[in-house]
Amino acid sequence: MIRGKGRVNLELALRMTEAAMKQAFREGAAISVAVVDEGGNLVSFQRMEGAEVSGPTLAPGKAYTSVALRRPTSELPALTGPGGELAGLAGSGFVCFGGGIPLWSGYGGAAYVAGGIGVSGGTVTQDVACAEAAASVWASR
């Protein structure tokens, strides 16, 4: 669980997208990255030159999914498959593969989801690494 404090604002969202893109450069990936607030509303979006055409749909979708389900989207393939706890969820507007991370705020029993990060364009491993780089900005402020 990535913990920080406060709310997602534009200045912070821009710093998070920048961190994700720097990680993508190190990974050799061209990505799209989205930051959403606690309601899943888009706060910031960036698309690197050469990023896949699906990124403007998938990155915000991963960010929204991580907020709505309050879990990293990398956990969803096992949960949404046949017999899984969330079987049937995939394909119903949720993006159920890695690259989305919820941003938690508060401490102790008062923790709540304050927003989310979504990254798309690399491999799932690259997308997760870029999302984690963005989330580290949230956690370190």
Side-chain angles (χ1 to χ4, degrees):
M1 176 184 305
I2 306 294
R3 284 223 180 160
K5 57 186 173 194
R7 300 174 62 108
V8 173
N9 60 45
L10 180 58
E11 183 270 331
L12 181 58
L14 292 172
R15 288 188 9 227
M16 287 189 281
T17 57
E18 182 67 25
M21 291 189 300
K22 285 181 180 178
Q23 182 63 34
F25 182 75
R26 289 190 287 273
E27 298 272 339
I31 63 163
S32 293
V33 57
V35 178
V36 300
D37 65 14
E38 71 277 4
N41 302 298
L42 189 62
V43 177
S44 176
F45 176 82
Q46 294 288 320
R47 181 180 175 272
M48 295 173 71
E49 186 174 331
E52 297 293 331
V53 69
S54 59
T57 299
L58 293 176
K62 290 179 184 184
Y64 173 82
T65 299
S66 73
V67 168
L69 300 179
R70 300 187 322 184
R71 64 179 70 219
T73 59
S74 60
E75 294 178 3
L76 296 176
L79 296 172
T80 58
E85 180 181 324
L86 300 173
L89 185 69
S92 60
F94 294 98
V95 181
C96 299
F97 47 94
I101 298 177
L103 303 171
W104 291 86
S105 190
Y107 297 95
Y112 63 93
V113 174
I117 302 285
V119 176
S120 182
T123 65
V124 170
T125 300
Q126 290 170 327
D127 289 354
V128 169
C130 294
E132 288 173 347
S136 71
V137 171
W138 169 259
S140 68
R141 62 183 184 84

